[in-house]
Amino acid sequence: MTRKQRRLTMIGCSLAVLGLAAGLVLYSLRDSIVFFSTPSMVTEQHIAPGRRFRLGGLVQPGSLKRGDNLAVSFEVADGSAKLPVVYKGLLPDLFREGQGVVAEGALDASGVFKADTVLAKHDEKYMPKEVADALKKQGHWKDDYDNKPATGARVTQNAAPAGQGVTQ
């Protein structure tokens, strides 16, 4: 074999190994690429009890119940399906009924999602893109979701006009 043929053979083999490694990585991540599953997706995919995943949707109005020792239960809905959630711990300050939430945990044998982490939306304008897309797809999107003003915005000293005092 000539020197050029050896070099081309090495480059070809290296590219084949690199392609195989990239394919294996993408194949192993195929279930983890989605940021979260909606209640409809959970029922469609028949997720096995004990398997960890993220559940996203809207907290169903009237479903929040507080128990002893920081235990709470609520339902997460996406318009066509609901899934009961139980959580023990402090809820985020922005957690409310009727608003977007993402919870991390696993289903138990009875079909209840046992969350160990609950994430609430950032402000009045924020809704996770996947939740908004799922609501739009199912026809439950409200135009005022896009038009709500941001609340709780803080004005800092740097943003104040000269000569005006700003309290924080």
Side-chain angles (χ1 to χ4, degrees):
M1 233 195 238
T2 66
R3 186 174 174 186
K4 184 176 180 180
Q5 288 175 332
R6 276 187 286 163
R7 186 175 353 135
L8 289 175
T9 303
M10 290 295 278
I11 290 172
C13 290
S14 299
L15 287 175
V17 169
L18 184 64
L20 180 65
L24 288 173
V25 167
L26 290 175
Y27 180 75
S28 68
L29 293 175
R30 71 186 183 283
D31 292 333
S32 301
I33 291 175
V34 175
F35 182 67
F36 65 82
S37 299
T38 63
S40 297
M41 292 168 69
V42 171
T43 56
E44 290 170 5
Q45 295 173 355
H46 304 292
I47 296 176
R51 181 170 177 223
R52 289 189 53 80
F53 66 97
R54 289 184 175 176
L55 174 69
L58 297 175
V59 178
Q60 192 70 18
S63 68
L64 180 62
K65 293 175 182 61
R66 297 185 185 274
D68 295 333
N69 298 327
L70 302 175
V72 293
S73 65
F74 55 93
E75 290 182 341
V76 173
D78 63 0
S80 61
K82 294 185 232 178
L83 192 63
V85 177
V86 293
Y87 175 68
K88 188 171 184 176
L90 293 173
L91 290 171
D93 290 337
L94 296 174
F95 180 89
R96 286 186 210 88
E97 294 179 343
Q99 294 189 353
V101 68
V102 175
E104 297 179 50
L107 288 172
D108 67 5
S110 63
V112 175
F113 187 79
K114 293 196 180 251
D116 52 35
T117 305
V118 173
L119 308 169
K121 67 182 194 168
H122 177 260
D123 64 16
E124 293 299 316
K125 292 180 82 173
Y126 176 77
M127 180 175 295
K129 181 182 182 326
E130 293 85 358
V131 172
D133 290 344
L135 289 172
K136 286 177 185 177
K137 184 175 156 183
Q138 296 168 0
H140 294 284
W141 181 257
K142 297 179 188 172
D143 288 333
D144 65 338
Y145 289 149
D146 290 327
N147 299 328
K148 285 185 179 178
T151 60
R154 290 180 46 179
V155 177
T156 62
Q157 291 288 348
N158 296 339
Q164 293 182 359
V166 176
T167 58
Q168 292 185 7

